Amino acid sequence: MSSLFGRVFLGAWLTAVVMVLAAVYITHIREFGDPSKKDRWEGPELFGEISHNLRIARRSGSDHFTHWLERQPEKVQQRIYAIDSYGMEILGRPIPQAMAPMFASLNFRNRETPGMVDKKPSIGFFVPLRGGENLRVVFIAGKSKSELLLRFILRSFWPILVLTTLASGLACYLLARYLSKPLDNLRTATRRVAAGDLSYRISPTIGGHSRELGELAADFDSMTAQLQESMAEQRRLIKDVSHELRSPLARLQVALGIARQKNVQALDPELDKIGKAADYLEDIIGDILSLPVSGSDGRALDDVVEINGLLTALTDDLKDEAAQKQVRFNVHSDDHELLVATRGSSLTAALENILRNAIKYSPVAGHIAVAVSRQGERCEVQVTDSGNGVPETELEAIFRPFYRTDEARSRESGGFGLGLAIAQRTMAQHNGSIRAFNAANAGLTVCVTLPLLDTSF
C-alpha cells in the first residue's frame, strides 16, 4: 500500500487488533492459569452445575441438592447457601448476615435476583419443589465485579473480538484520515503553485489541525507570497526594459535609413548587418511583450474562433513565406464546425508561431502536414514538419523560453526560442494542452488540444 493514508490506517488497525488479542490472552492465561490445571468448579462451570442440580431437585426434592452440596469441597460449600421451606439451612450452617437480604427477597414472584455479598457478585434462586415445598439458594459467583466482568468477556470472546475489530477499524480510519488530509491538501497546493497559481494559499485548509502543521502552512504561504511578488517584479522589469529598448531601436532604424540614403556603396554590407541586428532585436522585444506570463491568467475568454477556418487563413497567409523555401502545406480539416473560446488574437498568434516553427525547420522543397480532428468534447490540431526532429531528451525542454536545440542555435536558422513557449502558455490559458513528439518517417509533430464550446443549446 503506497499511500500514507493506507499505511497509517492499516498500521494503526493491526496494532489495535493485536493489542486486544494480547490483552485477552495474557489475562486468560495469567489470571486463570492453565485451563487443564484449574479447579473444575470455577465460575461458569460451577454456575452450570448448580442450575443442573436445582432442576433435578425440582422433580426429586431438596434432598438431592443437599446430597450434592455435601459432596463438594469446602471452598465450594462456602460459596453456596440454601434454605428449605422451614427456614433452615440445608447443611445446618448459620446464614451469613450479608446474605440475609437476598434470601428475604426471594419468593414465588421473585425467583431470581442478583446482588452483592461482602462486595462479591452473587445470584439468588427461588426453586418451587413438589409437595408445596421450596428451596432458596444464594451463590457467590465471583471474587469481585472485575472478575465477573472478565468471565463474561471470556465467555463472549468471539462476538467481542468482532465488535472491537470493527470499532478499532473505524477509529483508525478516522485517525488516518485526520493525519493524512493535511498532506493531501499540501500536495494539492504544491501542484497548483507548480502550475503557476501563485495566489493559492493553504493556511485556511490546514491551519487548525496542529501547531506544527499551522506553522508549515504559514511558511508555505509566505514562500508562495514571496514568489508571487518576485514574479510580478520580474514581469514588470522585463516589460519595462523591453519598452525602453524600443525607443533606441527606433532611433537606430531612423539613423540606418538616413545612412542608406547617402548611397555610400562601400558601407552597404555593414549597414545590412546593422539592419539585421536591429530587426533581430525588434523581433525579440515583440515576442517578449507578447509572451503570456503563465497559464493561470484569470482573464475571461470572451471571443470565439472556428479552428478549421483559422488554420486555413493562417496557411494562406504563410504561403509566400513557405514558398521561399519551396515548402508546401497539406491541410486536412475536420468536416464539423469546431468552435473554441479565445481572447483577442492570442490563439491566432500561438498557432501562427507553431506554423512558422514548422516552416523554419523544414528542409528546402519539404512539406508540412496540418491535421484537424475532433476528439469527443475537444479538438486536436497536429502540425508535422519534414525536418530532422528533436532528440527525445529535449522534447519537453523545447517549450522553455529561449531554449533551442543544438541543431537550431545558429541565428541563420531564425528564431530565438520563444515561439513554442508562447504557444504552451497560451494553450494553458485556453484550458488546453500542447505536446511534441517525433513522427515516424517525418520530422517533429506539435499536437495541440483545445476544449470545444458546447453548441447543443
Side-chain angles (χ1 to χ4, degrees), residues 355-431:
L355 293 172
R356 287 185 184 276
N357 220 49
I359 296 173
K360 191 183 306 175
Y361 297 112
S362 290
V364 175
H367 66 277
I368 299 171
V370 181
V372 184
S373 62
R374 178 167 187 159
Q375 307 291 335
E377 299 301 319
R378 306 176 79 84
C379 71
E380 184 178 89
V381 179
Q382 289 192 4
V383 178
T384 305
D385 61 41
S386 51
N388 297 324
V390 172
E392 295 291 332
T393 56
E394 300 184 16
L395 286 174
E396 294 185 5
I398 60 176
F399 293 101
R400 295 205 302 260
F402 302 104
Y403 182 89
R404 290 183 294 184
T405 61
D406 291 338
E407 294 80 358
R409 288 190 182 277
S410 64
R411 285 191 179 179
E412 286 74 14
S413 66
F416 24 82
L418 282 174
L420 290 179
I422 292 174
Q424 184 187 50
R425 297 190 182 184
T426 301
M427 297 310 156
Q429 290 178 348
H430 287 71
N431 300 317

Side-chain angles (χ1 to χ4, degrees), residues 280-298:
Y280 182 77
L281 287 174
E282 181 69 25
D283 290 340
I284 288 180
I285 294 172
D287 274 356
I288 289 177
L289 292 175
S290 64
L291 178 66
V293 172
S294 69
S296 60
D297 194 337

Side-chain angles (χ1 to χ4, degrees), residues 11-29:
W13 193 16
L14 290 178
T15 302
V17 171
V18 169
M19 289 179 63
V20 170
L21 291 175
V24 173
Y25 175 79
I26 292 173
T27 304
H28 179 71
I29 296 299

Side-chain angles (χ1 to χ4, degrees), residues 184-362:
D184 290 339
N185 294 335
L186 182 60
R187 179 179 59 186
T188 300
T190 55
R191 288 178 177 176
R192 292 187 61 170
V193 170
D197 185 8
L198 297 179
S199 63
Y200 185 77
R201 299 294 180 264
I202 195 175
S203 291
T205 59
I206 69 173
H209 277 75
S210 65
R211 180 177 60 83
E212 291 81 1
L213 288 173
E215 292 176 353
L216 176 62
D219 291 342
F220 183 89
D221 289 345
S222 176
M223 177 191 69
T224 54
Q226 292 177 25
L227 285 173
Q228 187 177 21
E229 184 177 354
S230 298
M231 289 292 292
E233 290 291 337
Q234 184 183 37
R235 289 195 298 268
R236 284 194 291 268
L237 176 62
I238 291 174
K239 301 294 184 182
D240 292 343
V241 169
S242 299
H243 280 293
E244 290 298 323
L245 286 176
R246 280 191 160 176
S247 295
L249 271 176
R251 292 194 294 270
L252 178 62
Q253 294 282 11
V254 172
L256 186 60
I258 295 174
R260 281 175 173 167
Q261 289 177 2
K262 293 182 179 181
N263 197 19
V264 181
Q265 294 182 352
L267 295 177
D268 284 346
E270 302 302 326
L271 293 177
D272 289 340
K273 291 181 180 179
I274 296 174
K276 287 183 179 180
D279 291 340
Y280 182 77
L281 287 174
E282 181 69 25
D283 290 340
I284 288 180
I285 294 172
D287 274 356
I288 289 177
L289 292 175
S290 64
L291 178 66
V293 172
S294 69
S296 60
D297 194 337
R299 289 181 292 171
L301 302 176
D302 53 5
D303 201 357
V304 177
V305 66
E306 204 282 317
I307 293 296
N308 290 309
L310 175 60
L311 285 170
T312 300
L314 287 175
T315 53
D316 286 341
D317 291 342
L318 295 173
K319 276 184 179 179
D320 293 339
E321 185 175 329
Q324 295 177 8
K325 294 181 65 175
Q326 301 176 22
V327 174
R328 68 184 186 277
F329 286 106
N330 295 327
V331 182
H332 300 279
S333 299
D334 194 280
D335 295 334
H336 300 88
E337 185 180 52
L338 304 176
L339 299 179
V340 173
T342 185
R343 180 181 59 246
S345 61
S346 57
L347 185 58
T348 301
L351 293 175
E352 183 178 356
N353 277 329
I354 295 172
L355 293 172
R356 287 185 184 276
N357 220 49
I359 296 173
K360 191 183 306 175
Y361 297 112
S362 290

